[in-house]
Amino acid sequence: MTHNHGDLAGLTQAEAARRLKQYGPNRLQPATQRALLLQFLAHFRNPLVLILLVASGISALTGDVTGALIIGVIVGMSVTLDFVQAYRAGRAAEQLALQVAVTATVLRDGQPCELTVSELVPGDVVRLSAGDLVPADARVLLANDFFVNQAQLTGEPYPVEKRAEAAPAAPDWALEDDDAVFMGSSVVSGSAHVLLGRTGSATALGQIAVSLADPAPPTAFEIGTRHFGLLIMRLTVLLVLFTLLVNVAFQRSLLESFLFAVA
């Protein structure tokens, strides 16, 4: 069954080169990663963590090494857990970037040729057969018992049949569209010619990778914790200064007054 969209002859090399400049290479953009040490240290910027670290340092200076160690271990475990969770999210985005084909059979100037996936552009006609990975989001032009597995997008483990539709499909690229296939899906059986519509980070898989790489917005609990930590920090400074001033007014030793105020 054929599709009314597109030309099975594919693009010309000149038009493909123009579109490659316009849309960019067909690959998921890797997230810019800071050094692991900097990523880890960034998790210490929480006010409560800073207060606990200061308390740990003062405990050590006043001879309470056990208390300092306990506080330090708790802070270290908390920050490490937070870092590991963020790091795993970043790794998940990198793994998505690997779940695409390396080469694909493309029709250029009416002739099939093997090209790396990064060279594909919207408008290319690609041949797919059993065992191939879909290199970009595409519409089916011609299908022969064409079944794909798109579990990485829908969670549905069973293959679904994709076929060409006589009527134009809606432009929203719903996963349920019978004539739409998506980057990273695997061809289980049959064969097809597909017309690429979205490439690179514009694909459904690309949008997932982008959302995983972006820092998650703070939750209401995290915002509340940060505000509470800032409040505790202000109160701590004020109480230390007040207690220190009172002790100095009574002509106590400055060092003893400071330690008493911190306590």
Side-chain angles (χ1 to χ4, degrees):
M1 182 176 180
T2 58
H3 199 295
N4 289 337
H5 291 199
D7 183 359
L8 284 177
L11 300 173
T12 64
Q13 291 289 2
E15 176 62 16
R18 187 190 70 79
R19 294 191 184 191
L20 187 60
K21 289 182 179 179
Q22 178 182 354
Y23 295 103
N26 177 39
R27 56 171 173 259
L28 304 187
Q29 298 300 323
T32 54
Q33 295 288 341
R34 293 182 295 175
L36 285 179
L37 179 60
L38 293 178
Q39 293 181 51
F40 180 74
L41 293 177
H43 292 274
F44 282 91
R45 292 183 298 181
N46 186 292
L48 285 178
V49 170
L50 295 176
I51 291 172
L52 289 173
L53 287 177
V54 171
S56 175
I58 293 173
S59 295
L61 291 175
T62 56
D64 187 6
V65 179
T66 303
L69 286 176
I70 292 174
I71 296 174
V73 169
I74 292 173
V75 170
M77 291 175 61
S78 174
V79 170
T80 300
L81 180 61
D82 195 21
F83 166 73
V84 168
Q85 289 175 329
Y87 180 74
R88 283 180 176 175
R91 292 292 297 168
E94 293 174 10
Q95 290 301 315
L96 281 178
L98 299 177
Q99 294 184 21
V100 292
V102 178
T103 63
T105 303
V106 190
L107 296 178
R108 291 277 175 90
D109 295 315
Q111 300 298 319
C113 57
E114 287 289 325
L115 294 178
T116 60
V117 165
S118 62
E119 296 179 79
L120 302 183
V121 296
D124 266 329
V125 175
V126 176
R127 289 182 180 177
L128 295 174
S129 56
D132 289 340
L133 287 177
V134 180
D137 293 356
R139 296 289 182 184
V140 178
L141 299 174
L142 181 69
N144 180 23
D145 295 325
F146 187 54
F147 286 80
V148 301
N149 185 325
Q150 51 188 28
Q152 83 285 6
L153 292 172
T154 63
E156 175 58 57
Y158 302 106
V160 292
E161 184 177 7
K162 298 291 183 177
R163 60 179 70 88
E165 296 288 349
D172 58 353
W173 293 90
L175 293 172
E176 297 79 17
D177 289 348
D178 289 336
D179 68 333
V181 290
F182 299 88
M183 175 187 273
S185 301
S186 57
V187 181
V188 177
S189 63
S191 60
H193 285 68
V194 299
L195 177 67
L196 303 190
R198 302 189 303 188
T199 58
S201 294
T203 61
L205 191 69
Q207 290 303 302
I208 294 174
V210 168
S211 66
L212 283 172
D214 287 343
T219 63
F221 176 76
E222 289 173 334
I223 294 173
T225 302
R226 183 173 294 275
H227 289 166
F228 177 71
L230 291 172
L231 175 63
I232 293 297
M233 183 180 290
R234 293 189 188 101
L235 288 175
T236 301
V237 172
L238 289 175
L239 287 173
V240 167
L241 290 176
F242 176 75
T243 308
L244 184 59
L245 288 173
V246 169
N247 279 273
V248 169
F250 282 95
Q251 299 180 345
R252 300 282 179 84
S253 166
L254 188 61
L255 178 59
E256 291 181 2
S257 300
F258 176 74
L259 296 177
F260 178 78
V262 169

